[in-house]
Structures are given as structure tokens and as C-alpha cells.
Amino acid sequence: KVHGVKETKEYFIPSFSQRLDVLDREKTLFVQGTTHIIKPVFSFEKVKKYSLFFLPQQYWEITSGLYVSDALKNAMQKMKLTGVDFENTTVL
């Protein structure tokens, strides 16, 4: 719960219990000689079963960026959820 001056709001943060294998490692751009991702490219075959997934990074249990399917994005927009922004990513 986040307490403001005049109100208290309840927020939810998804947490994950296992790291996912979702990248197309041949097409993802990494910092040379490291596992640090510059530009992720997701494998369609790996992500098609997920409505919500995250970038495999060092701190993946509670991540700052989430990826959603078009179906989930459309449902969220239909429900007029606030505080959510969407941008495209690469899936091959």
C-alpha cells in the first residue's frame, strides 16, 4: 500500500519464481564479451505460450520491464488501466 497525503492506494508488482528462456540468442545484441543485453530479440516459439514475461537479466525476480501479448495489451487498454505504457519489441 502506498500512502499519500489524502489517500492510500494499493499497488501490485509481479514477482517471478523461475528464469525464463525467451531470447533468440543468435539475434539478440549483447555487450561484447558479456551477457548484458543491449537489444533483446525474442523467439516467437519460446514466448507464444506466455501472456506476460520478462527480460532475462540479473535481477529477474522483480523486474522493471514486462512484456505482454497483444491479447493482454488489448484487454488492459479496454479496461482503461492507468500508469501503463506500451512500446513494440522484436519477436522472430
Side-chain angles (χ1 to χ4, degrees):
K1 293 184 179 183
V2 177
H3 302 283
V5 175
K6 295 183 179 181
E7 64 184 338
T8 298
K9 291 189 176 187
E10 193 169 10
Y11 288 87
F12 298 90
I13 300 172
S15 63
F16 299 92
S17 60
Q18 68 182 38
R19 180 174 268 172
L20 301 176
D21 176 20
V22 292
L23 292 177
D24 180 326
R25 294 205 170 268
E26 291 181 13
K27 295 186 173 105
T28 294
L29 184 59
F30 294 93
V31 174
Q32 188 173 0
T34 73
T35 59
H36 299 291
I37 299 168
I38 296 171
K39 182 178 189 278
V41 176
F42 299 101
S43 164
F44 177 74
E45 287 302 313
K46 293 178 179 180
V47 301
K48 69 181 179 181
K49 61 185 171 187
Y50 300 118
S51 292
L52 174 82
F53 64 96
F54 55 91
L55 186 65
Q57 57 193 12
Q58 184 175 359
Y59 301 107
W60 56 269
E61 292 92 342
I62 297 178
T63 182
S64 60
L66 297 171
Y67 297 84
V68 298
S69 66
D70 280 336
L72 182 53
K73 175 187 156 235
N74 293 337
M76 292 168 75
Q77 289 175 324
K78 185 177 180 180
M79 296 300 295
K80 299 184 187 248
L81 294 180
T82 61
V84 179
D85 291 318
F86 299 100
E87 59 185 64
N88 292 324
T89 191
T90 305
V91 179
L92 299 174

